[in-house]
Amino acid sequence: GAASLANNAVLYRTGLDCTASSVITGINGGSFDYRGIELELSGVKTSMIGRHQVENASLALLTTEVLRRRGLAIPREAIPEGLAAARWAGRLEKMSESPLIVIDGAHNPAAAERLAETLKNEFAGSYDRFVLVLGILGDKDMEGIARPLAALADRVIVTAPSYYRASNPVQMKAIVKQYNPNVEEAASVFDAIELARSTVGEKDLVCIAGSLFTAGEAKGILLGVSRPKQADSIIPGVAGLTGLKG
């Protein structure tokens, strides 16, 4: 690419410098065969869910190869072990098995599309009904985030994370209603979780998404380490998910 030429840097690309084959993905992660610059691994496992995470894992393995070639001492046996042990908090992170509750920090249209694609493909047949809890920040593309996810759900609960930039649930409800008529609002993430829990069965799916702040707050509530917060407060624990804004 132009940037690599301008900086006299070597460019490595997935699909060219490395490939993933025999890909198997599901709600517990995935496995694939990796062939890189020099490294070949069979049945490599990742706990992260979605076909796109296999692409990310391949890039991580390719990066590891480049680092080894530059002198970093990484034992060959540690590479698949490290990949299998890797976790990404707030990215289709399972919080409960029965009912199945996952949190995801998708906070832009591209991430929402990926999340919807993964829910549709990887989670197919693993639940009876899908309840979406959606909390988005007001300065984000609310419709772009809501559209792909709301259309998949049997029911949508819109809410507001405890952050001053949160969108108004009433406004969110009007947007979501364009794509799913079965929508209601909850004043807080805590209330939204309680509302979802009160109506789902053991074989249903609850996905809490729309913002890293929503995902972080929900995680604290579901783990029992956070109390309900006021709408204008800042969530102390959200930085544990990621340093990104969303």
Side-chain angles (χ1 to χ4, degrees):
S4 61
L5 288 173
N7 291 280
N8 195 29
V10 179
L11 176 64
Y12 296 93
R13 290 172 289 181
T14 57
L16 183 63
D17 297 296
C18 71
T19 58
S21 59
S22 301
V23 177
I24 300 173
T25 56
I27 63 171
N28 294 311
S31 67
F32 61 99
D33 295 340
Y34 172 84
R35 184 169 185 173
I37 304 168
E38 299 169 349
L39 192 64
E40 292 188 24
L41 298 168
S42 297
V44 184
K45 298 184 185 303
T46 173
S47 68
M48 288 173 270
I49 305 169
R51 198 171 185 88
H52 61 290
Q53 295 294 4
V54 171
E55 298 173 19
N56 290 336
S58 296
L59 183 59
L61 292 174
L62 179 58
T63 302
T64 302
E65 285 200 82
V66 173
L67 291 173
R68 291 179 83 200
R69 294 181 86 183
R70 289 179 175 270
L72 192 63
I74 305 174
R76 188 183 189 282
E77 63 274 13
I79 297 172
E81 292 175 4
L83 185 63
R87 300 290 184 272
W88 194 347
R91 295 296 183 186
L92 273 175
E93 183 178 1
K94 287 185 188 178
M95 304 303 301
S96 168
E97 293 285 350
S98 182
L100 181 57
I101 301 177
V102 297
I103 60 171
D104 194 279
H107 60 278
N108 58 56
E113 289 279 2
R114 281 293 180 94
L115 174 57
E117 178 185 321
T118 302
L119 291 171
K120 185 177 180 180
N121 296 332
E122 311 302 339
F123 285 72
S126 64
Y127 62 87
D128 291 340
R129 293 173 64 252
F130 169 30
V131 176
L132 172 68
V133 173
L134 196 61
I136 305 173
L137 298 190
D139 55 1
K140 299 295 180 179
D141 183 350
M142 293 184 283
E143 187 165 357
I145 297 168
R147 184 189 305 113
L149 294 168
L152 276 182
D154 294 291
R155 179 186 180 205
V156 183
I157 302 170
V158 294
T159 189
S162 301
Y163 191 55
Y164 73 96
R165 285 164 47 209
S167 62
N168 188 311
V170 176
Q171 181 185 9
M172 273 300 306
K173 184 178 180 180
I175 293 172
V176 169
K177 210 162 190 177
Q178 300 175 72
Y179 308 102
N180 191 322
N182 193 13
V183 56
E184 53 195 308
E185 62 195 72
S188 68
V189 174
F190 179 86
D191 290 342
I193 292 172
E194 289 298 295
L195 184 57
R197 278 175 157 171
S198 69
T199 57
V200 296
E202 292 183 356
K203 295 183 179 179
D204 291 336
L205 166 66
V206 177
C207 178
I208 304 167
S211 168
L212 293 164
F213 290 93
T214 301
E217 186 175 352
K219 183 171 183 176
I221 292 166
L222 292 166
L223 291 176
V225 297
S226 296
R227 296 179 179 178
K229 301 178 178 67
Q230 297 300 315
D232 60 350
S233 67
I234 294 177
I235 307 164
V238 76
L241 285 182
T242 176
L244 298 176
K245 298 179 180 179

